[in-house]
Amino acid sequence: MKRARYEKSKKAYRSARKFLPGGVNSPVRNFAGVGGAPVFIRSGKGSHVADVDGNDYIDYLGSWGPLICGHAHPDVVKAVTKAMQGGSSFGAPTERETELARLVTDAFPSIERLRMVNSGTEATMSAIRIARGYTGRDLVIKFVGCYHGHVDGLLVQAGSGATTFGAPSSPGIPKGYTRNTIALPFNDLDAVKRVCARRGKDIACIIIEPVAGNMGVVPPKAGYLEGLREVTKKLGIVLIFDEVMTGFRVARGGAQEVHGIDPDMTTLGKIIGGGLPVGAYGGKAEIIDCVSPVGDVYQAGTLSGNPLAMAAGIATLKRLSRKGFYEKLEKKSANLAAGLEKSARDAGVPTFHTRVGSMMCTFFTEEPVTDYDSAKKSDTKRYARYFHSMLDRGVYFAPSQFEAAFVSEAHTNDDIERTIAASADVMRTL
Ligand code: KE4
């Protein structure tokens, strides 16, 4: 199929940069991780998106995870249209908020209470404030390579030693904001035990992506999450599973269902909004009831729980609660992963593949990837060539080696076969 050039995208990019830093409203979108100018998307339907030049793509970005049912699913379109006709926002309680909360707690037994917010960042920021309010402690442990949104106190790079507190990883964050944040290597339980042995009584919470998706996809080592649960229970540290990406993705009940772990708090986002802005934090009632107006920890939001976002989330969660939804998704995802792995092996290109459910990653490296240090050894230039060559063939992966590819309900077997064939072609050129 002859591919249109990207002229209109380039023109759109020039216009956008007059008003928007980097021409985008979120940094990773502007292809800095792979070079070149971003394509501007005009529309999406099912598993495909079309850019402003009329090029069609099989989409494995899915808006970075939310669109597990595909773009513009009729159920979601119908629900949001109906909601809009009744008014978009009231700043007052509505029954749709209760309905979405019920669907979430039905899938996540560890969540007894929750609150809706408007993004994953709001969810994690609020969860940490509540963990600190509940425990009366200040310290937070996070993990290098895990991303929890652009929360000041969580934008830290690891200190040189395990117990060195994080230094801000972005200008604009006062040193004091990260003084209480300890950044440790992912998948290293001994590092956590050493810090907890010394400072356990001062640690409010540990926040972790139970399956990391922001350094590429990196699953937890056997026993790692269980070890975190044990040490936090013993020391009264709140264990927060950041399932903004993994919630309803790797299983209906997220990574905590896959690994059988009962965290104290969970943060959610992406899929629960069905493509509209929704985040949520939830967990044990005695912890969540610390938040205003029941408790004294303050958190608020004008559009939290708005009818449109709730309608999109409800329609999406109802779809993925259907019998066989995840079994079908698992089969398609396994086929794609096997095909991509084979395409690299047949071409003699060293890659390391990871997958948990319908989120996966092809690392361009010979070594196993188990944490951020090993992920960083990937050949990002080779990934960039792979990305652009696949894009030219009508396959849209994440514009960064350190992200995930997502399969949706809408992806067809033909999509998967075409993707594998394109990958086989491209790998031979790398
Ligand atoms: P948002 O504030 O972007 O809704 O969510 C922040 C967040 C929190 N926790 C996890 C585990 C996340 O993956 C995210 C956001 N994920 C990125 C993709 N890696 C969003 C894409 C972007 O930043 O544009």
Side-chain angles (χ1 to χ4, degrees):
M1 168 190 63
K2 177 118 183 56
R3 299 196 57 74
R5 295 172 54 74
Y6 300 117
E7 293 320 310
K8 288 184 180 159
S9 273
K10 287 178 185 148
K11 184 166 177 286
Y13 190 40
R14 283 194 295 276
S15 306
R17 278 181 298 180
K18 287 186 204 131
F19 308 101
L20 305 166
V24 293
N25 284 305
S26 197
V28 72
R29 300 178 191 172
N30 94 330
F31 280 24
V34 291
V39 291
F40 275 62
I41 301 300
R42 167 168 292 141
S43 62
K45 184 74 184 144
S47 56
H48 288 239
V49 290
D51 69 16
V52 293
D53 288 284
N55 298 311
D56 177 81
Y57 304 93
I58 303 168
D59 178 27
Y60 291 100
L61 198 56
S63 181
W64 303 94
L67 299 173
I68 196 166
C69 296
H71 293 278
H73 192 285
D75 293 3
V76 177
V77 172
K78 186 165 165 242
V80 174
T81 304
K82 183 162 181 279
M84 184 67 229
Q85 284 159 350
S88 62
S89 180
F90 309 110
T94 66
E95 289 179 303
R96 283 192 177 93
E97 295 160 83
T98 310
E99 172 62 1
L100 185 57
R102 188 187 62 75
L103 289 166
V104 168
T105 54
D106 186 54
F108 285 78
S110 73
I111 299 180
E112 296 170 340
R113 290 266 203 297
L114 69 145
R115 170 161 294 169
M116 306 292 175
V117 292
N118 297 288
S119 68
T121 297
E122 269 193 272
T124 57
M125 173 180 71
S126 310
I128 284 171
R129 185 181 309 137
I130 286 157
R132 285 172 160 156
Y134 173 72
T135 59
R137 304 175 185 177
D138 292 341
L139 299 190
V140 171
I141 290 178
K142 75 164 297 273
F143 298 92
V144 179
C146 286
Y147 174 68
H148 305 290
H150 59 93
V151 186
D152 277 344
L154 296 181
L155 289 180
V156 299
Q157 53 231 354
S160 50
T163 54
T164 312
F165 294 115
S169 60
S170 159
I173 300 175
K175 282 205 174 24
Y177 278 44
T178 57
R179 186 183 311 124
N180 291 315
T181 310
I182 303 168
L184 298 177
F186 186 77
N187 263 332
D188 180 345
L189 187 56
D190 288 342
V192 175
K193 287 180 174 172
R194 281 196 298 276
V195 172
C196 289
R198 251 207 296 286
R199 305 296 308 267
K201 288 295 171 218
D202 304 322
I203 298 171
C205 61
I206 289 181
I207 184 166
I208 189 165
E209 291 182 65
V211 172
N214 287 285
M215 51 175 127
V217 177
V218 181
K221 283 179 182 168
Y224 179 61
L225 298 176
E226 293 77 359
L228 291 182
R229 178 64 289 182
E230 192 183 329
V231 72
T232 50
K233 211 176 264 296
K234 201 163 63 184
L235 293 166
I237 296 170
V238 175
L239 179 59
I240 303 174
F241 269 18
D242 177 357
E243 298 226 41
V244 166
M245 189 184 289
T246 53
F248 293 99
R249 171 58 67 182
V250 298
R252 181 166 167 262
Q256 55 197 268
E257 175 187 304
V258 173
H259 290 279
I261 303 277
D262 189 31
D264 301 305
M265 289 177 79
T266 300
T267 52
L268 295 166
K270 296 183 192 273
I271 289 173
I272 66 166
L276 268 67
V278 180
Y281 59 87
K284 307 274 183 285
E286 68 171 283
I287 299 175
I288 306 301
D289 281 348
C290 289
V291 76
S292 172
V294 179
D296 301 332
V297 179
Y298 196 69
Q299 185 274 317
T302 304
L303 290 170
S304 297
N306 72 81
L308 304 194
M310 296 299 102
I314 290 164
T316 299
L317 297 200
K318 280 185 174 170
R319 277 206 68 76
L320 54 78
S321 302
R322 291 180 176 197
K323 197 169 164 2
F325 182 92
Y326 285 94
E327 288 75 9
K328 278 188 233 143
L329 201 53
E330 172 60 24
K331 198 167 173 308
K332 272 189 283 195
S333 305
N335 288 347
L336 176 64
L340 295 178
E341 193 154 5
K342 184 176 184 303
S343 71
R345 193 172 53 245
D346 290 354
V349 175
T351 52
F352 180 77
H353 294 258
T354 56
R355 176 176 77 87
V356 181
S358 57
M359 61 188 259
M360 61 186 78
C361 182
T362 299
F363 289 100
F364 281 77
T365 178
E366 312 205 56
E367 298 180 29
V369 176
T370 58
D371 59 14
Y372 190 50
D373 280 350
S374 45
K376 276 192 306 185
K377 290 179 184 162
S378 303
D379 182 342
T380 52
K381 288 191 171 47
R382 204 168 208 182
Y383 178 82
R385 291 199 301 276
Y386 178 74
F387 170 83
H388 280 292
S389 299
M390 290 299 278
L391 196 71
D392 288 344
R393 285 168 175 74
V395 178
Y396 198 123
F397 280 129
S400 163
Q401 166 71 92
F402 306 110
E403 296 289 352
F406 299 102
V407 180
S408 79
E409 172 196 20
H411 283 89
T412 63
N413 291 331
D414 179 56
D415 288 331
I416 304 292
E417 292 316 313
R418 277 180 51 201
T419 304
I420 292 167
S423 188
D425 271 356
V426 169
M427 284 288 183
R428 282 193 287 270
T429 68
L430 293 184

